[in-house]
Amino acid sequence: MSRHFLAEGLELSGGDRGLVAVVAAVALAALAVGYVLLREVLAAGQGTSKMQDIAKAVQEGAAAYLNRQFRTLGIFVVVVFVLLFALPAEDTGERIGRSLFFIVGAVFSAIIGYLGMWLSTRANVRVAAAARETGGREKAMRIAFRTGGVVGMFTVGLGLFGAALVVFVYVGQAPRVLEGFGFGAALLAMFMRVGGGIFTKAADVGADLVGKVEQGIPEDDPRNAATIADNVGDNVGDCAGMAADLFESYAVTLVASLILGTAAFGAKGLLFPLIVPAIGVLTAVIGVYITKARTGENGLTAINRSFYISAVISAVLCTIAAFVYLPSSFASLQGVDGAVAATPGNPALIAAIAVIIGIVLAGVILWLTGYYTGTEHKPVKEVGRTSLTGAATVILSGISVGFESAVYTALVIGGAVYGAFLLSGSVIVSLFAVALAGCGLLTTVGVIVAMDTFGPVSDNAQGIAEMSGDVDGDGARILTELDAVGNTTKAITKGIAIATAVLAATALFGSYKDAIEKALKSVGSEFNDLDFVTFAPNVLVGLIIGAAVVFMFSGLAVNAVTRAAGAIVFEVRRQFRENPGIMDGTVKPEYGRVVDICTRDSLRELATPGLLAVMAPIAVGFGLGVGPLAGYLAGAIATGTLMAVFLANSGGAWDNAKKLVEDGNHGGKGSDAHAATVIGDTVGDPFKDTAGPAINPLLKVMNLVSVLIAPAIVGFSVGADASAGVRYAIAFVAVAVIVAAVIVSKRRGTAIADAPAEATTSA
Amino acid sequence: MSRHFLAEGLELSGGDRGLVAVVAAVALAALAVGYVLLREVLAAGQGTSKMQDIAKAVQEGAAAYLNRQFRTLGIFVVVVFVLLFALPAEDTGERIGRSLFFIVGAVFSAIIGYLGMWLSTRANVRVAAAARETGGREKAMRIAFRTGGVVGMFTVGLGLFGAALVVFVYVGQAPRVLEGFGFGAALLAMFMRVGGGIFTKAADVGADLVGKVEQGIPEDDPRNAATIADNVGDNVGDCAGMAADLFESYAVTLVASLILGTAAFGAKGLLFPLIVPAIGVLTAVIGVYITKARTGENGLTAINRSFYISAVISAVLCTIAAFVYLPSSFASLQGVDGAVAATPGNPALIAAIAVIIGIVLAGVILWLTGYYTGTEHKPVKEVGRTSLTGAATVILSGISVGFESAVYTALVIGGAVYGAFLLSGSVIVSLFAVALAGCGLLTTVGVIVAMDTFGPVSDNAQGIAEMSGDVDGDGARILTELDAVGNTTKAITKGIAIATAVLAATALFGSYKDAIEKALKSVGSEFNDLDFVTFAPNVLVGLIIGAAVVFMFSGLAVNAVTRAAGAIVFEVRRQFRENPGIMDGTVKPEYGRVVDICTRDSLRELATPGLLAVMAPIAVGFGLGVGPLAGYLAGAIATGTLMAVFLANSGGAWDNAKKLVEDGNHGGKGSDAHAATVIGDTVGDPFKDTAGPAINPLLKVMNLVSVLIAPAIVGFSVGADASAGVRYAIAFVAVAVIVAAVIVSKRRGTAIADAPAEATTSA
């Protein structure tokens, strides 16, 4: 037992149990605050009947999509539930708990996603309506940000409540059960990110290609049959997908912290990671309530200010909590690992610094992302300026911005991990420090979710305003400004999300190693570090495969969007062709058909990348072994971090460069420069809203799958029950599933390439 | 000693010394064959005086650039020579030999590069002239391919001769001295790839932006002041840079094989890796002489046929050599490591299979790259078809093709490494098998270099034809076809080059570990595998940094091109504006000025990425330690492999998609579809010819720097001479150099963004 992280024999004192109850109460309070904010948002005016009609169409389309998506995913969840139940476990209690909380995690993830979509589709019209009033800028911004606040409160509330509940019930077995909880959350979030991401960008790209590029009509023009689908997409992708994603980040980071905390600090290590996010709930409430743009101030400045204020408050309160709750020497901690008691250093100080590192990391990423994707800084201005030499230079400069920002973001995240690692000479304590830095990041999640939701709500509000034609002048300008701010806040969230992925994955790595060590011991075998050294050729091959999966996943996601967009181009052209009245504005296009196509295609397209994420670690683990699987995870984390930030930030920069030109720079709307930036924006769409953000849950899913299958791999590899036949058979099935999924998706062809053929002949 | 790879006490028998002499003789014979081919190429007709004038301008520009580049790099080489001399070594002989052969490697690399440029600038006009004659297709193709043959023969001849010489003189110390040789070759090749790559693409992009996009004049139109520079660029980048790059691959793979061969197989392991490439020389001669396009056959088919024939001959001969020269059990091998003697298995069989794996790998990459970038296969056709929906879909589909092909190529390379690894249960023997697979790849290098050089020579021939206006009808069609074939052969070479990088790096990893182990032992410390495990947070941070450096290097290279291209856009516009006679065709533009700008800017821009490559491993190694440096290398290899193939193949696909449209598909030249593919091609230019190919030498340089500095890192970290102050001071200086270089390159701003401002006001 002494070398293992888990602590089945761990007991909580009465005081500790009380503390868990308090944390649960704080979590419920967060839900209550969320409800209050929800009432406030819904109380706002809904504008003209035309606006309400549009909003209603969007609401219906979004709800229809999510309902169908949940039905599809439900089957998948049941299958995984059964597989999970079949995997090795300590005892039946753990087995049942793990599978049960897998469902709970998935359901919570779904609830958050659904709520995000439900509320956003109601807030968008209210933001548009508010922009028309006097003092509209403040009112519109307030509604948009508080909408985000609701989602933020529910995210942290449900995440914290779930974790507290598991700790209360399972105590020492909580970490293992939480693996199921985190896995459920991550898996559902990944599918929602991918499916929603394909929906939103297929609609967006399809709408732009026919509308802006071919017919020369503006974005969100009601004559374009894809506009409603575009707005639906914002809600199912950017709102629902993102909310589920951040909930998953929250859950998985907590899982990693609780696992490592128990090993490093004993019972106090199980509870301190609950205290930190509970403090985060408090400061998130403050952050949401104090956000208010001063007159003439950029919306982003106001949002950033509240972020920084709440971050500072978090840091102060967490430091106090660390010194009050944790002892000043390891001797008095009942760490599970006997060696920890002799570790030099001050646990309270280590914990406080680790949490602060996480909070500072969030602040630095916020600043860095704002710098690289904001309209008022050099990078986006330069991308905008290159529009004068055409689309090629826009693409190249955007890619450069993406590469550069990815490097700095990765270095900052790496620096945070290294900083936390240096806090202690004990590996297990330093891993816990990394996990605590992740908890530090979590204290900002409430505000981050609020910031992110702000983006699609503003985008939608502008869409409704444009389609209805009922908002003009100042109102329209306000909405454009909020939309640009939203582009940057969305990019920031992605940066934070990927940071949580790296921190959680680094920490989970420890639990992967532990799972293997333990499994080996149970079959009477020795753990051999040599199997995990980076320079062993097989580990290096694992690393290359891990990096390759990130590229493949990104390629599949981008491809899925272009394929689905092709079908939409085809449909919109058909409507224009068969019904000339649409172009005159005398006939309403059939919006519903485009929504249906998006729904059908996204659900069909999400299977391949989803299966890849689940099956690839199984193939590598059973096929090549536990060492190469460790290499695989490391390769995926390193490449995934850079790729995720690259895709998010180059996309964000292109989007805002287009906004810059639309604001009248370099020739303004309709100029060649504008056309060049529209091309950049279209390329960036699947980058930033489909492939990029899905990498975050991808990394977590792959990590958790690896942790969960580790004992089974060991079981089939060494000891009495070893069976090379079964082992390779499992790997073979996994590879076969991936290959079959890829072939099926290839078979569908490149619809965007096929569509023109028909269109050209009949145009 | 027993656990170390080096074998200072190794003695060669008289027969073995005779064998080395035979290998050296084969190497010299390769040079002789090269000379014969050279005479044949130069004997061909040179066409009209107008064509000769243009060729002369290109010759002068290219020679002027390379001369200036060598002067600049000379300083750098001297600095590194001194630093290398200061690094720890076994004894003075090794110290002097290592530094001396560093210079030899650099000079050989330079010679190959210069020869490649010199001959290409003479062959281009001869190919153009041959295309005008009857039977022009066969003649033109013959000259272009034999030009490549010359460079190929010199590459393998000099590489093999250098290695044989070192083995002859230094015997047991040869591996260490060869590290210097390989490092010299790799360093110079990297700079030539980066500098030449920036030159060629700055000129190309600049010419296209003003010529094709703004003025609507065709590519290579003599009125465009940047056309000569564009053609000069093909020679200094694609010919000189590529030739040096493949020479470097050759040298470094041999280095890795000899190091590991000695450890695994004793004296026979030192000699067998020389026999394999000597066989490669023979088969390369066959490959070059049998290449002949049958009537009506695609040029690529003919080239592929010779490749496959020579590969099969190589495989047969190497297998025979293995069974004749190597024993059938390890017991009779004087392996340095005592444990090897007891290894089960048949060394001859292992060696034969390993070499065949390498040869098959080359064939598979050839096929895979041809599939993804050739005009007659589905991927490029699809990219071409997406041009009907505009530039955005061209970019997205090209990126998808790049991602997808990178994944499959990486998996194939990973599969080859894993296959070689599985050949033996002994780590050292399996590492040697990986290195031997690299040697198998090397047997194809002669033909590969010939294929690659074919590309720029054909490109240039078309340029000269277009500028002179003296080649039309059939002749023009022939040159267009050869140019398209050249695009694919260039992409194939990049795939092979990156495969050598992965195999060499995997093998070099073993020598990195050995260097550390040995250094630790010398200071009385123990080697601890735990420092190298993938899941330690610090190793993971190293991994992330390694992946980040690949992104940064790529971003810097792309940026350098856009910046230099901006200066050229500016200059060409100035000439059009100040001298209206140029557009009428009455006045000749000042070609020389554009060549000067390219020369100046490329030399200025190559410093930052070059310094990054050398300094980053120093910073990580001294700053974070030997374990994180191992992670760094692994991260760089995994991400670098994917990134290199992605950049090369997406660029190749865009280029050929453009050719497809120019051949009359989807509307042909001048259509909207054509404009869309021109944008794709322009984006792809710095991808495929600057950033992508430079990643191969980058990986080798970083690996060799790490191997060379490993003893110094250990010396400053543990033992009596340990000094944290010195260690961190070195890391600090390395970081400071990188930061300063990045700031200096940032200061230069984005010229391409600044240029339009002036041009717009005065246009």
Side-chain angles (χ1 to χ4, degrees):
Chain A
M1 175 62 69
S2 76
R3 294 193 62 203
H4 297 304
F5 295 1
L6 297 184
E8 279 76 9
L10 201 73
E11 296 270 329
L12 290 185
S13 68
D16 285 341
R17 295 186 77 86
L19 200 60
V20 178
V22 170
V23 169
V26 170
L28 293 175
L31 299 180
V33 173
Y35 185 72
V36 172
L37 287 170
L38 176 76
R39 295 289 300 268
E40 186 190 327
V41 170
L42 293 180
Q46 298 187 56
T48 66
S49 70
K50 210 165 166 190
M51 287 162 71
Q52 288 180 38
D53 282 352
I54 296 166
K56 198 147 191 72
V58 173
Q59 283 160 23
E60 283 165 6
Y65 173 70
L66 279 195
N67 289 337
R68 275 185 62 177
Q69 179 169 269
F70 288 142
R71 269 205 301 279
T72 308
L73 294 183
I75 302 166
F76 203 84
V77 166
V78 170
V79 172
V80 174
F81 173 83
V82 173
L83 290 176
L84 208 54
F85 204 82
L87 280 176
E90 281 293 302
D91 57 34
T92 318
E94 184 181 307
R95 187 187 295 270
I96 294 174
R98 189 176 62 188
S99 296
L100 196 72
F101 271 88
F102 164 76
I103 302 275
V104 174
V107 169
F108 277 14
S109 206
I111 290 176
I112 292 287
Y114 200 91
L115 174 81
M117 175 284 293
W118 188 89
L119 186 61
S120 300
T121 53
R122 278 148 186 85
N124 50 18
V125 65
R126 292 170 167 85
V127 170
R132 304 165 74 220
E133 301 171 17
T134 43
R137 189 161 166 280
E138 281 63 39
K139 282 186 196 155
M141 187 162 156
R142 184 187 164 107
I143 297 172
F145 197 74
R146 298 218 161 167
T147 302
V150 177
V151 186
M153 286 301 139
F154 273 88
T155 301
V156 297
L158 282 184
L160 196 55
F161 182 73
L165 186 67
V166 173
V167 169
F168 201 83
V169 176
Y170 288 92
V171 196
Q173 282 184 324
R176 270 288 142 104
V177 173
L178 279 171
E179 279 170 16
F181 182 65
F183 183 50
L187 192 66
L188 211 88
M190 187 185 71
F191 278 113
M192 289 183 74
R193 265 297 198 194
V194 173
I198 294 170
F199 190 120
T200 178
K201 290 305 129 171
D204 193 356
V205 170
D208 283 359
L209 284 179
V210 187
K212 284 198 216 173
V213 180
E214 288 180 17
Q215 307 286 348
I217 57 179
E219 195 168 346
D220 295 318
D221 188 294
R223 290 170 293 179
N224 192 329
T227 42
I228 292 286
D230 186 7
N231 284 298
V232 169
D234 289 342
N235 293 289
V236 299
D238 296 348
C239 288
M242 178 281 309
D245 182 10
L246 280 173
F247 170 72
E248 164 275 317
S249 297
Y250 202 84
V252 175
T253 307
L254 275 180
V255 170
S257 310
L258 293 171
I259 294 175
L260 293 161
T262 328
F265 285 12
K268 285 194 182 278
L270 189 61
L271 296 186
F272 187 67
L274 290 179
I275 298 174
V276 173
I279 291 172
V281 168
L282 261 163
T283 52
V285 174
I286 298 174
V288 171
Y289 276 101
I290 61 173
T291 302
K292 205 172 178 182
R294 292 170 194 161
T295 320
E297 186 184 54
N298 183 301
L300 194 59
T301 316
I303 293 177
N304 283 348
R305 188 176 48 237
S306 349
F307 174 86
Y308 286 120
I309 292 173
S310 63
V312 169
I313 298 174
S314 282
V316 171
L317 292 181
C318 288
T319 306
I320 294 170
F323 281 98
V324 169
Y325 184 69
L326 294 173
S328 63
S329 99
F330 279 92
S332 59
L333 277 175
Q334 318 143 340
V336 177
D337 188 339
V340 171
T343 307
N346 179 342
L349 188 63
I350 290 173
I353 296 178
V355 171
I356 290 173
I357 285 176
I359 295 174
V360 171
L361 174 62
V364 174
I365 290 177
L366 180 86
W367 178 83
L368 209 56
T369 313
Y371 177 75
Y372 279 104
T373 64
T375 44
E376 68 285 10
H377 297 290
K378 213 176 129 197
V380 170
K381 282 187 181 162
E382 278 188 6
V383 174
R385 225 166 30 223
T386 58
S387 63
L388 290 168
T389 35
T393 46
V394 170
I395 300 289
L396 284 172
S397 58
I399 285 175
S400 286
V401 166
F403 277 161
E404 193 179 313
S405 63
V407 170
Y408 295 126
T409 307
L411 290 180
V412 167
I413 297 173
V417 172
Y418 199 74
F421 166 78
L422 285 181
L423 289 176
S424 170
S426 149
V427 173
I428 178 70
V429 175
S430 68
L431 280 172
F432 182 45
V434 173
L436 277 181
C439 289
L441 262 181
L442 291 190
T443 62
T444 68
V445 160
V447 180
I448 291 292
V449 173
M451 288 170 70
D452 191 299
T453 309
F454 182 89
V457 170
S458 309
D459 191 354
N460 250 258
Q462 204 195 6
I464 290 173
E466 189 99 24
M467 287 182 72
S468 65
D470 287 347
V471 185
D472 42 26
D474 273 358
R477 255 198 321 97
I478 290 167
L479 292 176
T480 302
E481 185 208 324
L482 292 188
D483 191 13
V485 171
N487 279 333
T488 302
T489 59
K490 272 165 61 186
I492 291 168
T493 318
K494 288 162 201 159
I496 303 272
I498 197 69
T500 69
V502 177
L503 293 174
T506 309
L508 277 175
F509 237 144
S511 90
Y512 172 71
K513 185 201 162 200
D514 176 64
I516 291 160
E517 213 169 343
K518 201 169 172 187
L520 279 169
K521 209 170 184 178
S522 75
V523 295
S525 191
E526 264 298 296
F527 182 76
N528 181 7
D529 281 323
L530 199 63
D531 290 338
F532 297 86
V533 294
T534 36
F535 51 68
N538 54 340
V539 176
L540 196 61
V541 170
L543 245 149
I544 293 175
I545 299 176
V549 164
V550 171
F551 271 71
M552 181 137 193
F553 185 84
S554 308
L556 285 170
V558 170
N559 241 331
V561 170
T562 54
R563 220 165 14 225
I568 288 151
V569 167
F570 193 77
E571 170 65 22
V572 177
R573 279 184 184 153
R574 187 194 62 78
Q575 294 198 17
F576 273 131
R577 199 172 58 231
E578 294 179 0
N579 203 337
I582 294 175
M583 202 54 184
D584 313 338
T586 52
V587 181
K588 251 174 104 174
E590 301 166 75
Y591 301 119
R593 288 203 53 154
V594 182
V595 173
D596 285 347
I597 292 172
C598 281
T599 304
R600 188 197 65 203
D601 283 16
S602 320
L603 291 176
R604 206 169 56 179
E605 297 282 358
L606 65 69
T608 309
L611 285 172
L612 176 71
V614 177
M615 290 298 161
I618 294 177
V620 173
F622 286 96
L624 309 187
V626 289
L629 183 55
Y632 171 90
L633 293 176
I637 293 168
T639 305
T641 308
L642 286 149
M643 186 65 97
V645 181
F646 159 64
L647 293 170
N649 288 0
S650 56
W654 280 318
D655 199 346
N656 271 341
K658 185 191 72 177
K659 291 244 179 305
L660 260 188
V661 173
E662 289 177 349
D663 280 355
N665 297 294
H666 314 305
K669 274 193 183 182
S671 65
D672 283 352
H674 185 230
T677 54
V678 168
I679 290 172
D681 180 38
T682 308
V683 171
D685 273 338
F687 276 31
K688 72 179 198 305
D689 291 319
T690 313
I695 291 175
N696 166 35
L698 168 75
L699 294 182
K700 308 238 181 73
V701 166
M702 297 200 304
N703 254 291
L704 285 163
V705 168
S706 304
V707 172
L708 289 164
I709 63 173
I713 299 173
V714 172
F716 289 125
S717 305
V718 288
D721 297 335
S723 163
V726 176
R727 205 185 120 183
Y728 293 124
I730 294 173
F732 180 80
V733 169
V735 170
V737 169
I738 295 172
V739 171
V742 169
I743 290 175
V744 167
S745 94
K746 280 260 152 195
R747 275 277 169 81
R748 286 198 284 271
T750 310
I752 204 163
D754 299 335
E758 157 131 354
T760 314
T761 51
S762 46
Chain B
M1 177 62 72
S2 78
R3 293 192 61 204
H4 297 306
F5 295 1
L6 298 184
E8 280 75 6
L10 200 73
E11 297 270 327
L12 290 186
S13 68
D16 286 342
R17 294 185 77 84
L19 200 60
V20 178
V22 170
V23 169
V26 170
L28 293 176
L31 299 180
V33 173
Y35 184 72
V36 172
L37 288 170
L38 175 74
R39 292 290 299 269
E40 188 191 326
V41 169
L42 292 181
Q46 299 187 57
T48 66
S49 68
K50 208 165 165 188
M51 287 161 70
Q52 290 181 35
D53 283 352
I54 296 165
K56 202 152 188 72
V58 174
Q59 283 160 24
E60 282 166 6
Y65 172 70
L66 279 195
N67 289 336
R68 273 185 66 178
Q69 179 168 272
F70 288 141
R71 270 205 299 282
T72 310
L73 294 184
I75 303 165
F76 203 84
V77 167
V78 170
V79 172
V80 174
F81 174 83
V82 173
L83 291 175
L84 209 53
F85 204 82
L87 280 177
E90 280 292 302
D91 57 36
T92 320
E94 184 181 309
R95 186 186 297 272
I96 294 175
R98 190 176 61 189
S99 296
L100 196 71
F101 272 87
F102 165 75
I103 302 277
V104 174
V107 169
F108 276 15
S109 205
I111 289 176
I112 293 285
Y114 200 91
L115 175 82
M117 174 285 291
W118 187 89
L119 186 61
S120 302
T121 54
R122 277 149 188 86
N124 50 18
V125 63
R126 289 170 170 84
V127 171
R132 304 167 72 222
E133 300 171 19
T134 45
R137 188 159 167 278
E138 280 64 39
K139 283 186 195 158
M141 187 162 157
R142 183 186 165 108
I143 297 173
F145 196 73
R146 298 219 161 168
T147 302
V150 177
V151 186
M153 287 301 139
F154 273 87
T155 302
V156 296
L158 282 183
L160 195 56
F161 183 73
L165 187 69
V166 173
V167 170
F168 201 82
V169 177
Y170 288 93
V171 195
Q173 282 185 325
R176 270 287 141 104
V177 173
L178 279 171
E179 280 171 14
F181 181 65
F183 183 49
L187 191 66
L188 212 88
M190 186 186 71
F191 278 114
M192 289 182 75
R193 264 297 197 195
V194 173
I198 294 170
F199 191 122
T200 179
K201 291 303 129 173
D204 193 356
V205 171
D208 284 358
L209 285 179
V210 188
K212 284 198 218 173
V213 181
E214 288 180 16
Q215 305 286 346
I217 56 179
E219 196 169 345
D220 296 318
D221 189 295
R223 290 170 293 180
N224 192 327
T227 42
I228 292 285
D230 185 7
N231 283 295
V232 168
D234 289 342
N235 293 289
V236 300
D238 294 347
C239 287
M242 176 282 308
D245 182 8
L246 279 174
F247 170 72
E248 164 275 319
S249 297
Y250 203 83
V252 175
T253 307
L254 275 182
V255 170
S257 311
L258 294 171
I259 295 176
L260 294 161
T262 327
F265 285 12
K268 285 195 183 277
L270 189 60
L271 296 185
F272 188 66
L274 290 178
I275 297 173
V276 174
I279 291 171
V281 168
L282 262 163
T283 51
V285 173
I286 299 172
V288 170
Y289 276 101
I290 61 171
T291 303
K292 207 172 174 181
R294 293 173 192 158
T295 321
E297 185 184 54
N298 184 300
L300 194 59
T301 316
I303 293 177
N304 283 348
R305 188 175 48 237
S306 342
F307 173 88
Y308 285 120
I309 291 175
S310 62
V312 170
I313 299 175
S314 283
V316 172
L317 293 181
C318 289
T319 306
I320 295 172
F323 281 98
V324 170
Y325 185 69
L326 294 173
S328 61
S329 98
F330 279 92
S332 60
L333 278 176
Q334 314 145 341
V336 178
D337 189 335
V340 170
T343 308
N346 178 343
L349 188 64
I350 291 174
I353 297 179
V355 171
I356 291 174
I357 285 177
I359 295 173
V360 171
L361 173 62
V364 175
I365 290 178
L366 180 86
W367 178 83
L368 208 56
T369 314
Y371 177 75
Y372 279 104
T373 63
T375 45
E376 68 285 10
H377 296 290
K378 211 176 130 198
V380 169
K381 283 187 182 160
E382 278 189 5
V383 174
R385 223 163 35 220
T386 57
S387 64
L388 290 168
T389 34
T393 45
V394 170
I395 301 288
L396 285 171
S397 59
I399 285 175
S400 287
V401 167
F403 277 161
E404 193 179 312
S405 63
V407 170
Y408 294 126
T409 307
L411 290 181
V412 167
I413 298 174
V417 172
Y418 199 74
F421 166 79
L422 286 181
L423 289 176
S424 170
S426 148
V427 173
I428 178 71
V429 175
S430 69
L431 280 172
F432 182 46
V434 174
L436 277 182
C439 289
L441 261 182
L442 289 191
T443 63
T444 67
V445 160
V447 181
I448 292 291
V449 173
M451 288 169 70
D452 190 301
T453 310
F454 183 89
V457 169
S458 310
D459 192 355
N460 249 256
Q462 204 194 8
I464 290 173
E466 189 100 24
M467 286 182 72
S468 66
D470 287 347
V471 184
D472 43 25
D474 273 358
R477 255 200 318 101
I478 290 166
L479 293 176
T480 303
E481 185 207 324
L482 294 188
D483 192 11
V485 171
N487 280 334
T488 302
T489 60
K490 275 163 62 186
I492 291 167
T493 319
K494 288 162 201 159
I496 302 275
I498 197 69
T500 72
V502 178
L503 293 174
T506 310
L508 277 174
F509 237 144
S511 90
Y512 172 72
K513 184 202 163 198
D514 176 65
I516 292 159
E517 211 167 344
K518 201 168 171 188
L520 279 168
K521 207 168 188 182
S522 74
V523 297
S525 191
E526 266 296 299
F527 182 78
N528 181 5
D529 281 323
L530 199 63
D531 290 338
F532 297 86
V533 294
T534 36
F535 50 68
N538 54 343
V539 175
L540 196 61
V541 171
L543 245 150
I544 292 174
I545 299 177
V549 164
V550 171
F551 272 71
M552 180 138 194
F553 185 85
S554 308
L556 285 171
V558 171
N559 241 331
V561 170
T562 54
R563 213 153 35 213
I568 288 150
V569 166
F570 193 76
E571 169 64 22
V572 177
R573 280 183 183 152
R574 187 196 61 78
Q575 293 197 19
F576 274 130
R577 197 171 60 231
E578 295 179 3
N579 203 337
I582 294 176
M583 204 55 185
D584 311 338
T586 53
V587 182
K588 254 174 99 174
E590 302 168 75
Y591 299 120
R593 288 203 54 157
V594 181
V595 174
D596 285 347
I597 292 171
C598 281
T599 304
R600 189 196 65 206
D601 283 15
S602 317
L603 291 177
R604 208 171 56 180
E605 296 282 359
L606 65 71
T608 309
L611 285 171
L612 176 71
V614 177
M615 291 298 161
I618 296 178
V620 173
F622 286 96
L624 309 187
V626 289
L629 182 56
Y632 171 90
L633 292 176
I637 292 169
T639 306
T641 308
L642 287 149
M643 185 66 98
V645 181
F646 160 64
L647 293 171
N649 288 0
S650 56
W654 280 318
D655 198 346
N656 272 341
K658 186 190 72 177
K659 292 243 178 304
L660 262 188
V661 174
E662 288 177 350
D663 280 355
N665 298 295
H666 313 305
K669 274 194 183 182
S671 65
D672 282 351
H674 185 231
T677 55
V678 167
I679 291 171
D681 181 38
T682 308
V683 171
D685 273 338
F687 275 31
K688 74 179 196 304
D689 290 320
T690 313
I695 290 175
N696 165 36
L698 168 78
L699 294 181
K700 310 246 182 64
V701 165
M702 298 200 303
N703 253 290
L704 284 163
V705 167
S706 304
V707 172
L708 289 164
I709 62 173
I713 299 172
V714 172
F716 288 125
S717 304
V718 288
D721 297 335
S723 164
V726 176
R727 205 186 119 181
Y728 293 123
I730 293 173
F732 180 79
V733 169
V735 170
V737 169
I738 296 171
V739 171
V742 170
I743 291 176
V744 167
S745 93
K746 281 257 152 197
R747 274 277 168 80
R748 286 200 283 272
T750 310
I752 205 162
D754 298 335
E758 158 133 351
T760 315
T761 50
S762 47

